[in-house]
Amino acid sequence: MPELPEVEVVRRGLADHVLGRTVADVELRGLRVARRHVAGPQDLTDRLGGRRIEAVRRRGKYLWLDLGDGLGLILHLGMSGQLLVEDAAAPDEKHLHARFRFADDGPELRFVDQRTFGGLALADLDAHGVPATIAHIAPDLLEPAYDRAAVVRRVKGKDSAIKRVLLDQTVASGIGNIYADEALWRAQVHGERVSSALTKPRIGELLDHAAEVMREALGEGGTSFDALYVNVNGASGYFDRSLAAYGQAGRPCRRCGTPIRREHFMNRSSFSCPRCQPRPRAVRASAGP
Ligand SMILES: [Zn+2]
């Protein structure tokens, strides 16, 4: 599953190649790609034709095109969705689901998705230019609307495992399993500690680590993709070598040398250092929401 840095890499690539261009027409292959668009595939293609791409925006893991007049197109990447900018003469990909042609006859935008969990949907944009369907998602740690002090207060006010709170998209969006584990390792906090028991400076530090680790991943991802190939390939492959905790079970902690442990948490795996991130001694309250 792509996380915030991977989606931001795609956003920047898209902005470089489609910003300011006018859509001539959109061709859909099959119906699955439009299944999230309630009014149906015909409505989707009818309303896209003639629209100019005014902005390419992102909040957390959500990516959308601002088409002006309060209309947006959400690009759900799912597990394996890719957006490719290609010459019209390039052969069709096996899993091509949508093709955008532009009025300038320049390169096409193609949506390719091997596992078909992704798709396209039009949405009304609110006064801040955010699709109404995702307005409940909180700003992410890298956008100007992020209010650090407010998020610290919200985290402090929750009686839940801190990792669960970090993953809660209504608190701050865009932190997924990988970057939550990395931030917790850097802050030396076990993910099952109760958020309300952490001090506000500690919570602030943890959020800063989360923002920092995502910025670092972005720095690496930003240099790894071909100019004409905007790509998302699942979980941050290019950042793997920089991970200190996630996926590192059994390898020595880079800080103290103790083997990193793997634990089950929220139906997923959590990775942490047993020495730098001791488990909470007693669970005061249930770790539920
Ligand atoms: Zn350690």
Side-chain angles (χ1 to χ4, degrees), residues 238-259:
Y238 47 80
F239 193 58
D240 281 356
R241 62 199 157 92
S242 307
L243 296 174
Y246 185 85
Q248 306 299 307
R251 296 200 188 132
C253 168
R254 291 182 191 179
R255 201 161 34 219
C256 74
T258 307

Side-chain angles (χ1 to χ4, degrees), residues 80-280:
S80 59
Q82 297 175 317
L83 291 159
L84 310 178
V85 178
E86 284 185 319
D87 196 86
D92 288 358
E93 287 72 15
K94 189 176 173 199
H95 301 285
L96 176 68
H97 291 282
R99 180 204 313 277
F100 294 67
R101 292 188 192 89
F102 293 91
D104 55 25
D105 286 330
E108 303 179 343
L109 176 65
R110 297 180 184 180
F111 181 74
V112 174
D113 190 3
Q114 194 179 343
R115 297 174 68 184
T116 341
F117 291 116
L120 311 173
L122 287 168
D124 293 326
L125 303 181
D126 70 12
H128 305 285
V130 176
T133 45
I134 62 162
H136 62 287
I137 304 283
D140 65 58
L141 306 187
L142 304 186
E143 66 179 292
Y146 167 54
D147 180 345
R148 185 180 182 274
V151 175
V152 168
R153 280 197 301 276
R154 224 172 300 145
V155 173
K156 178 78 182 164
K158 297 250 180 198
D159 263 322
S160 196
I162 183 65
K163 182 168 175 183
R164 182 184 289 271
V165 178
L166 289 178
L167 296 174
D168 182 342
Q169 304 295 300
T170 64
V171 174
S173 66
I175 307 176
N177 206 34
I178 298 173
Y179 299 106
D181 277 4
E182 292 301 301
L184 289 162
W185 180 84
R186 289 186 183 197
Q188 302 189 50
V189 171
H190 192 279
E192 288 181 44
R193 289 189 54 189
V194 176
S195 50
S196 58
L198 296 171
T199 64
K200 283 186 175 178
R202 198 104 168 94
I203 293 168
E205 212 176 281
L206 185 55
L207 292 169
D208 294 347
H209 281 303
E212 186 186 70
V213 73
M214 289 193 287
R215 266 191 212 103
E216 288 171 16
L218 196 49
E220 298 190 19
T223 57
S224 75
F225 73 96
D226 186 286
L228 282 180
Y229 192 76
V230 186
N231 194 2
V232 164
N233 265 329
S236 66
Y238 47 80
F239 193 58
D240 281 356
R241 62 199 157 92
S242 307
L243 296 174
Y246 185 85
Q248 306 299 307
R251 296 200 188 132
C253 168
R254 291 182 191 179
R255 201 161 34 219
C256 74
T258 307
I260 296 289
R261 83 187 134 193
R262 174 191 191 136
E263 295 171 293
H264 288 286
F265 183 72
M266 291 173 71
N267 295 321
R268 287 189 269 189
S269 289
S270 281
F271 300 88
S272 59
C273 172
R275 186 162 168 199
C276 300
Q277 300 165 266
R279 288 186 62 85

